Amino acid sequence: MKIRLEVFEGDITKLEVDAIVNAANESLLGGGGVDGAIHRAAGSELLAECRAIGGCPTGEARITKGYDLPARHVIHTVGPVWHGGGRSEDTLLGSCYRNSLALAREAGVKSIAFPAISTGVYRFPLERAARVAVVTVRDELERDPGGVEHVIFSTFGHEATDAFRRALEESAP
């Protein structure tokens, strides 16, 4: 079976996939950017479930229901804040994608959409983040086939879209 990876420029909250990934903060209680948009679209029940979880450390992930979203699940992951690259930022960002895919496999997810984790207010350089994301996802899906079959990198703006398309082309087998 061929695993499909693609880039979609648009609103991640509208995608009809099994799971969307939320670029969350450690509290999981909503915020700005993608995090705020997902919380608003999912409704107040998402906030209640996140409150019960009690947070999430950087690099890890937690799964909830999707509530009012088209997606059945939301996988919340906390990306690293960029501090120049000397604080294991690449490793932590890769962990976000690995841990999200592990939860997706456990939940029987076949299709998943990721935002450009850590590239907004956390200031992770876009090109670098795109390479880490694409290489990590490809490696994980090749290492453990049979789970997720379709991955969408959902971007906001032409710059992010172009960065993720370049990363896909550069990492193509």
Side-chain angles (χ1 to χ4, degrees):
M1 166 199 21
K2 180 99 168 111
I3 296 168
R4 194 169 67 167
L5 299 167
E6 67 176 291
V7 178
F8 165 79
E9 185 177 337
D11 187 346
I12 195 170
T13 68
K14 305 281 191 231
L15 291 175
E16 294 187 13
V17 292
D18 294 334
I20 61 172
V21 176
N22 180 16
N25 59 48
E26 289 186 348
S27 75
L28 301 183
L29 302 181
V34 170
D35 191 12
I38 288 172
H39 272 270
R40 283 188 300 277
S44 61
E45 291 170 306
L46 178 62
L47 180 59
E49 186 174 355
C50 286
R51 199 171 266 128
I53 291 171
C56 179
T58 301
E60 293 187 19
R62 304 290 186 263
I63 192 167
T64 63
K65 295 177 186 172
Y67 299 101
D68 294 339
L69 292 162
R72 289 184 300 137
H73 303 284
V74 177
I75 298 173
H76 309 264
T77 191
V78 181
V81 174
W82 181 256
H83 292 285
R87 296 188 185 174
S88 302
E89 290 100 318
D90 288 357
T91 301
L92 287 166
L93 184 60
S95 293
C96 290
Y97 289 92
R98 274 190 296 284
N99 289 326
S100 294
L101 287 170
L103 287 177
R105 278 191 297 276
E106 289 172 17
V109 166
K110 296 294 183 191
S111 59
I112 188 169
F114 286 97
I117 298 167
S118 283
T119 62
V121 297
Y122 287 6
R123 301 178 320 277
F124 206 106
L126 187 53
E127 295 285 337
R128 187 170 180 154
R131 282 192 302 275
V132 169
V134 170
V135 168
T136 302
V137 168
R138 271 197 203 282
D139 288 351
E140 280 300 298
L141 297 180
E142 287 172 8
R143 186 185 63 74
D144 191 8
V148 175
E149 299 170 357
H150 183 199
V151 175
I152 299 170
F153 295 102
S154 179
T155 59
F156 182 78
H158 298 307
E159 186 181 357
T161 303
D162 292 344
F164 274 83
R165 286 192 176 134
R166 277 190 296 278
L168 276 176
E169 289 168 13
E170 291 168 7
S171 73

